[in-house]
Amino acid sequence: MIERILPVDVVAVEAFADPPDAVLLPEEEAVVAKAVDKRRREFTTVRHCARQALARLGREPVAILPGERGAPGWPDGIVGSMTHCAGYRAAVLAEDKVVTSLGIDAEPHVTLPDGVLDAVSLPDEREHLAALAAAEPGVHWDKLLFAAKESVYKTWFPLARKWLGFSDARIRLARDGTFTAELLVPGPQVNGAELRGFDGRWTTGDGLVVAAIAMV
Ligand SMILES: CC(C)(COP(=O)(O)OP(=O)(O)OC[C@H]1O[C@@H](n2cnc3c(N)ncnc32)[C@H](O)[C@@H]1OP(=O)(O)O)[C@@H](O)C(=O)NCCC(=O)NCCS
């Protein structure tokens, strides 16, 4: 489902179950040697997806290790992003000559737990969510806002190499499947200009909400 919200230059591979033939490379094994089964399965399957995407880009299978603040390390010339949640894993990759940064996030399509929305949103974002919910009650807009913010962080981090908090970007979701993110903190220089925000897309289906940013 994620490829429908990404440009054609981005290779997307997703899985709705953990394939029995998914394996880790030795350096990756070391990372999850003491992890619980759930973590091990999501870590393995999403890397299986990422290596399939690498192959489609004509690249060799390599270990994809968590680096600074958990950001995955991609081979030279590649940008990418990964997400996993109950019943879903996805990896999206592209050549860095074509795409500057990628960020994706998938979440179960249910409302946020009590108290979380206030912690992850700005007051005006909550007003915006209320208006969207009145117009289209079938979407859990609070969870979508959360997924959009996580996709913002994953796109931001490889460019800025620093933390971005939930109140550091203002999200505007649109019912047409798009969203914008306005940075409320100074951004890094990217392609000769200050990064001010992102344009993303979202979708729902199969019990999931998925948000994706492909910054060209
Ligand atoms: C890092 C974070 C975004 C991960 O999101 P999540 O919903 O918990 O988990 P997901 O399964 O969707 O994504 C996990 C994957 O994100 C990727 N990831 C982790 N840290 C990352 C970082 N700093 N930069 C880019 N990608 C990162 C990894 O590939 C990870 O998978 P892996 O551990 O198997 O390699 C989240 O835990 C977090 O710290 N959020 C706070 C920051 C934030 O969202 N700010 C909002 C800004 S508006």
Side-chain angles (χ1 to χ4, degrees):
M1 66 190 279
I2 200 167
E3 76 282 353
R4 62 182 186 237
I5 55 168
L6 286 163
V8 290
D9 296 323
V10 177
V11 176
V13 179
E14 61 192 355
F16 294 85
D18 295 317
D21 60 333
V23 288
L24 291 176
L25 297 179
E27 307 96 295
E28 296 168 338
E29 276 286 352
V31 176
V32 286
K34 293 182 182 150
V36 296
D37 184 58
K38 173 182 171 292
R39 172 64 177 145
R40 191 182 171 80
R41 284 191 286 109
E42 67 184 21
F43 187 91
T44 304
T45 301
V46 83
R47 280 161 177 77
H48 181 74
C49 293
R51 276 189 274 279
Q52 287 180 300
L54 278 175
R56 282 169 49 188
L57 288 166
R59 302 296 188 118
E60 294 297 312
V62 293
I64 301 153
L65 300 174
E68 187 184 358
R69 282 188 183 267
W74 301 108
D76 284 349
I78 297 290
V79 294
S81 184
M82 299 189 285
T83 187
H84 25 60
C85 68
Y88 189 72
R89 291 82 167 83
V92 304
L93 275 68
E95 300 280 352
D96 70 0
K97 291 189 193 69
V98 187
V99 175
T100 303
S101 190
L102 288 166
I104 61 168
D105 193 67
E107 302 286 338
H109 189 194
V110 295
T111 195
L112 285 171
D114 281 352
V116 174
L117 181 61
D118 284 357
V120 299
S121 61
L122 301 164
D124 65 281
E125 288 177 327
R126 294 194 284 278
E127 285 171 25
H128 166 62
L129 293 187
L132 288 166
E136 196 165 339
V139 175
H140 289 291
W141 296 98
D142 57 341
K143 185 58 85 61
L144 183 52
L145 181 86
F146 180 78
K149 290 207 173 197
E150 303 256 66
S151 74
V152 165
Y153 180 68
K154 293 181 191 177
T155 314
W156 152 275
F157 189 82
L159 303 171
R161 312 303 302 182
K162 64 180 183 186
W163 175 250
L164 187 73
F166 284 101
S167 55
D168 293 336
R170 174 179 288 117
I171 304 288
R172 283 289 177 267
L173 303 167
R175 291 171 63 197
D176 67 359
T178 62
F179 68 88
T180 60
E182 174 198 356
L183 290 172
L184 305 178
V185 294
Q189 292 287 312
V190 179
N191 302 331
E194 186 187 337
L195 180 63
R196 307 296 291 271
F198 303 99
D199 295 316
R201 296 180 64 192
W202 62 270
T203 190
T204 61
D206 291 308
L208 302 163
V209 295
V210 184
I213 296 170
M215 183 183 163
V216 293

